[in-house]
């Protein structure tokens, strides 16, 4: 069986994007990691939010082996992934004005906490208002988005702005408008999106930086271990007991 030419092209495209964010977003990643470390050290709580497929990168850092135990998912029902039926409802909810404020008001987030908002386009009401309202509440907001959308599309929210306009720190995923890396003869639509690969990598780079910053201060990073290695459950139980007041996915 011959190798797939298009598979190789996609992997090359993804690698190229990863190299770009490594080289071009290093300063932003460092700032984001430092902000996360500052929040942990000062007793704050960590949250991640994303709607639709952007929620995948948010979920990837919550209750994750090798990840910070303090990272909580700030979920808006109906917008996390494609489990809502019909799946198109999730896309519609992203455009509902006022939903983000209601979600934040009913969440445990408070001043001094940190929220990572993930949105590829950064143009819909839900992520934009989530960042805007979080900052008004006194949270530090990190945005992970594609800056290309700010020039290649128009805002689709009442403020007429993009996610990047309401963040303390912005990480640019470099994903092109449309999120499809490949075209091919006989295929009418572009295909092979890479946003999940790159956004998840940026999230993990932030977490790694935060762990490094905490260790440099003499603070043991509150990391989880795999439950599938000997001693993992015991380790995680200790971490969760120590930080029980800042972990919300067990309640």
């Amino acid at each position: 069986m011959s190798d797939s030419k298009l598979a190789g092209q996609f992997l090359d495209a993804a690698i190229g994007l990863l190299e770009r964010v490594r080289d071009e977003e290093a300063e932003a990643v460092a700032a984001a990691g430092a902000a996360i470390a500052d929040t942990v050290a000062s007793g704050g709580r960590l949250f991640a939010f994303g709607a639709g497929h952007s929620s995948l990168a948010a979920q990837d850092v919550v209750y994750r082996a090798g990840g910070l135990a303090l990272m909580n998912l700030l979920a808006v029902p109906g917008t996390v992934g494609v489990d809502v039926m019909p799946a198109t409802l999730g896309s519609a909810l992203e455009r509902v004005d006022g939903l983000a404020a209601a979600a934040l008001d009913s969440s445990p987030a408070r001043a001094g906490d940190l929220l990572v908002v993930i949105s590829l386009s950064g143009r819909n009401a839900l992520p934009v208002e989530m960042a805007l309202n979080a900052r008004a509440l006194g949270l530090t907001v990190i945005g992970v988005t594609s800056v290309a959308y700010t020039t290649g599309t128009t805002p689709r929210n009442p403020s007429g702005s993009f996610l990047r306009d309401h963040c303390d720190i912005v990480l640019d995923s470099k994903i092109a408008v449309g999120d499809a890396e490949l075209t091919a003869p006989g295929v009418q639509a572009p295909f092979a999106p890479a946003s999940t690969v790159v956004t998840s990598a940026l999230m993990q780079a932030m977490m790694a930086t935060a762990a490094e910053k905490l260790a440099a201060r003499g603070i043991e990073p509150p990391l989880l271990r795999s439950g599938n290695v000997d001693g993992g459950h015991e380790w995680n139980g200790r971490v969760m007991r120590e930080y029980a007041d800042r972990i919300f996915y067990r309640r």
Side-chain angles (χ1 to χ4, degrees), residues 61-85:
V61 295
V62 176
Y63 187 49
R64 178 64 189 263
L68 289 172
L70 307 191
M71 184 60 76
N72 301 278
L73 185 67
L74 202 164
V76 177
T79 69
V80 182
V82 292
D83 56 333
V84 63
M85 296 298 289

Side-chain angles (χ1 to χ4, degrees), residues 187-214:
V187 181
Q188 296 301 310
F191 56 100
S195 59
T196 303
V197 173
V198 179
T199 303
S200 291
L202 282 169
M203 294 294 288
Q204 295 297 345
M206 275 192 276
M207 300 303 119
T209 303
E212 180 182 33
K213 299 285 188 183
L214 287 167

Side-chain angles (χ1 to χ4, degrees), residues 151-236:
T151 56
T153 68
T154 55
R156 194 158 54 192
N157 63 86
S159 72
S161 58
F162 286 89
L163 170 61
R164 68 171 298 184
D165 300 319
H166 306 288
C167 299
D168 297 289
I169 303 165
V170 177
L171 280 70
D172 181 7
S173 64
K174 316 295 182 182
I175 300 295
V177 174
D179 191 17
E181 295 300 318
L182 301 181
T183 58
V187 181
Q188 296 301 310
F191 56 100
S195 59
T196 303
V197 173
V198 179
T199 303
S200 291
L202 282 169
M203 294 294 288
Q204 295 297 345
M206 275 192 276
M207 300 303 119
T209 303
E212 180 182 33
K213 299 285 188 183
L214 287 167
R217 301 182 192 186
I219 300 172
E220 180 183 336
L223 296 168
L224 296 173
R225 292 190 176 189
S226 171
N228 296 313
V229 300
D230 292 342
H233 285 299
E234 292 77 13
W235 173 280
N236 293 343

Side-chain angles (χ1 to χ4, degrees), residues 59-186:
Q59 294 178 64
D60 190 47
V61 295
V62 176
Y63 187 49
R64 178 64 189 263
L68 289 172
L70 307 191
M71 184 60 76
N72 301 278
L73 185 67
L74 202 164
V76 177
T79 69
V80 182
V82 292
D83 56 333
V84 63
M85 296 298 289
T88 50
L89 176 60
S91 297
L93 289 173
E94 287 188 59
R95 302 175 190 137
V96 175
D97 184 27
L99 183 57
L104 270 173
D105 288 345
S106 61
S107 80
R110 66 189 184 193
D113 293 344
L114 180 143
L115 172 64
V116 183
V117 179
I118 305 166
S119 174
L120 179 63
S121 72
R123 67 193 295 234
N124 289 316
L126 188 54
V128 170
E129 293 178 4
M130 186 69 75
L132 192 157
N133 283 277
R135 287 183 87 187
L137 288 174
L139 279 75
T140 298
V141 178
I142 298 170
V144 186
T145 188
S146 170
V147 173
Y149 278 81
T150 63
T151 56
T153 68
T154 55
R156 194 158 54 192
N157 63 86
S159 72
S161 58
F162 286 89
L163 170 61
R164 68 171 298 184
D165 300 319
H166 306 288
C167 299
D168 297 289
I169 303 165
V170 177
L171 280 70
D172 181 7
S173 64
K174 316 295 182 182
I175 300 295
V177 174
D179 191 17
E181 295 300 318
L182 301 181
T183 58

